[in-house]
Amino acid sequence: MSFKEQLKGRDLLTLADYSKAEIGYILELAAQIKEKKKNGEVYEPLKGKTLGMIFEKSSTRTRVSFEAGIYQLGGTGLFLSSNDIQLGRGEPISDTAQVLSGYLDGIMIRTFSQKDVEDLAENASIPVINGLTDDYHPCQVLADLQTIKEVKGTLEGLKLTYIGDGNNMAHSLMIGCAKMGLDVAIAAPKGYQPNENITALAKSFAEGTEVLVTEDPIEAVANADIIYSDVWASMGQEAEQKVREQAFAKYQVNNELFAHAKSDAIFMHCLPAHRGEEVTADIIDGPQSVVFQEAENRLHAQKALMVALMG
């Protein structure tokens, strides 16, 4: 069975559900789609298809990249905020899933609970894409892997270090890197480290590579090819901002910390970023930063994903 047949109609709830070869296929397709766009080539394999986009969490990159992406592929995107649909007024997810399956060709949902995404997928007869939950952010990591491959020429044998909160980004990076042959190190303070079950899951995918979780940012950064950061207080955690600033004070990505990585290390961030908090301006705006190339690749990686699942 070809990857085209293998992936058609599938959901993307977490990268844990995809093989190394399947992820590799999506990344290769993303590279081809990016090249077509750069050359001004019209590519509309999803002509006549409609993607419903459910947002319970607001967004810049997810909203614009999915909506622009489905349009560029010849389809239509429908923005559905939780205020606009009955899901926000207590309609069961199972009912919403079945109703939307009759109207749409795919659903992207960006929400809080991973279980809500899983329930939606279980009851929908069309592909469901996880646009972000409190546990996972698989679409971002597809774009991250695409960016690393573009800059470094390969994925296997590299080391990615993530500094900061052991959140959805840490979880998805651990899984994505372990699957694709990168060493991954997560540096987070006690009480903010990644979920132990998800860490164990990521370790189960590592074949000859390391998944390290530590409190020591210098240990984590040693010999890194990629340094990755995220905000200290994610959406919904604003009330904890001051407490988190104290907990993460030693976890800022700055020149001093960067000096422990390889000399050609790159800096990545899923954005939005708070300059002067998790990263200094001279790092994120400096020559080793690839954050805007990474942000652009959300478009191409997600177009590849939609073609693979909805085509």
Side-chain angles (χ1 to χ4, degrees), residues 137-194:
H137 199 353
C139 291
Q140 176 67 53
V141 173
L142 287 174
D144 296 339
L145 292 169
Q146 182 184 355
T147 308
I148 294 165
K149 199 170 181 186
E150 285 174 350
V151 176
K152 295 293 185 181
T154 186
L155 293 174
E156 294 204 23
L158 299 177
K159 178 183 175 182
L160 181 144
T161 295
Y162 172 91
I163 307 285
D165 190 19
N167 58 12
N168 49 11
M169 275 313 314
H171 293 159
S172 287
L173 283 166
M174 281 194 296
I175 290 169
C177 289
K179 287 249 180 191
M180 299 310 289
L182 293 87
D183 287 324
V184 58
I186 308 289
K190 206 170 186 173
Y192 296 94
Q193 295 198 334

Side-chain angles (χ1 to χ4, degrees), residues 46 81 123 157-158 196 221 277 305:
L46 299 186
S81 89
N123 290 280
L158 299 177
E196 288 180 5
V221 165
E277 286 182 25
L305 186 64

Side-chain angles (χ1 to χ4, degrees), residues 51-127:
L51 176 77
M53 306 180 299
I54 300 173
F55 283 88
E56 292 192 304
K57 281 190 175 188
S58 60
S59 164
T60 299
R61 279 149 291 277
T62 301
R63 165 82 191 267
V64 178
S65 57
F66 267 107
E67 194 161 343
I70 187 69
Y71 174 77
Q72 289 168 17
L73 294 169
T76 303
L78 291 180
F79 174 76
L80 307 167
S81 89
S82 53
N83 299 326
D84 300 331
I85 57 175
Q86 297 296 337
L87 191 61
R89 298 176 60 210
E91 181 173 52
I93 285 176
S94 56
D95 287 5
T96 300
Q98 290 177 79
V99 169
L100 293 182
S101 294
Y103 302 148
L104 305 169
D105 302 286
I107 300 169
M108 187 285 299
I109 179 167
R110 182 179 167 96
T111 187
F112 295 89
S113 165
Q114 180 70 16
K115 188 176 185 308
D116 284 353
V117 179
E118 289 166 3
D119 288 349
L120 187 69
E122 194 179 322
N123 290 280
S125 57
I126 55 176

Side-chain angles (χ1 to χ4, degrees), residues 113-303:
S113 165
Q114 180 70 16
K115 188 176 185 308
D116 284 353
V117 179
E118 289 166 3
D119 288 349
L120 187 69
E122 194 179 322
N123 290 280
S125 57
I126 55 176
V128 171
I129 297 170
N130 178 358
L132 173 140
T133 65
D134 289 345
D135 289 331
Y136 297 106
H137 199 353
C139 291
Q140 176 67 53
V141 173
L142 287 174
D144 296 339
L145 292 169
Q146 182 184 355
T147 308
I148 294 165
K149 199 170 181 186
E150 285 174 350
V151 176
K152 295 293 185 181
T154 186
L155 293 174
E156 294 204 23
L158 299 177
K159 178 183 175 182
L160 181 144
T161 295
Y162 172 91
I163 307 285
D165 190 19
N167 58 12
N168 49 11
M169 275 313 314
H171 293 159
S172 287
L173 283 166
M174 281 194 296
I175 290 169
C177 289
K179 287 249 180 191
M180 299 310 289
L182 293 87
D183 287 324
V184 58
I186 308 289
K190 206 170 186 173
Y192 296 94
Q193 295 198 334
N195 177 291
E196 288 180 5
N197 293 333
I198 296 174
T199 302
L201 179 65
K203 285 181 176 179
S204 75
F205 298 133
E207 293 180 9
T209 56
E210 185 181 21
V211 177
L212 170 73
V213 176
T214 177
E215 289 177 49
D216 184 353
I218 293 173
E219 178 192 10
V221 165
N223 220 30
D225 299 281
I226 305 110
I227 297 177
Y228 200 115
S229 185
D230 191 8
V231 293
W232 290 340
S234 296
M235 212 175 296
Q237 298 171 334
E238 289 82 2
E240 303 171 31
Q241 179 69 30
K242 292 296 172 198
V243 176
R244 284 172 171 265
E245 280 175 17
Q246 290 179 322
F248 288 97
K250 294 177 184 173
Y251 294 81
Q252 184 186 71
V253 178
N254 50 34
N255 283 315
E256 193 182 336
L257 185 61
F258 221 89
H260 294 276
K262 287 184 181 170
S263 59
D264 63 346
I266 58 173
F267 176 74
M268 302 182 78
H269 194 301
C270 53
L271 303 180
H274 296 157
R275 288 163 175 79
E277 286 182 25
E278 74 273 9
V279 60
T280 54
D282 53 354
I283 294 290
I284 193 170
D285 298 320
Q288 285 165 285
S289 173
V290 296
V291 298
F292 297 112
Q293 180 177 344
E294 175 189 5
E296 183 195 325
N297 282 340
R298 287 289 301 277
L299 173 70
H300 311 300
Q302 288 161 191
K303 282 170 74 174

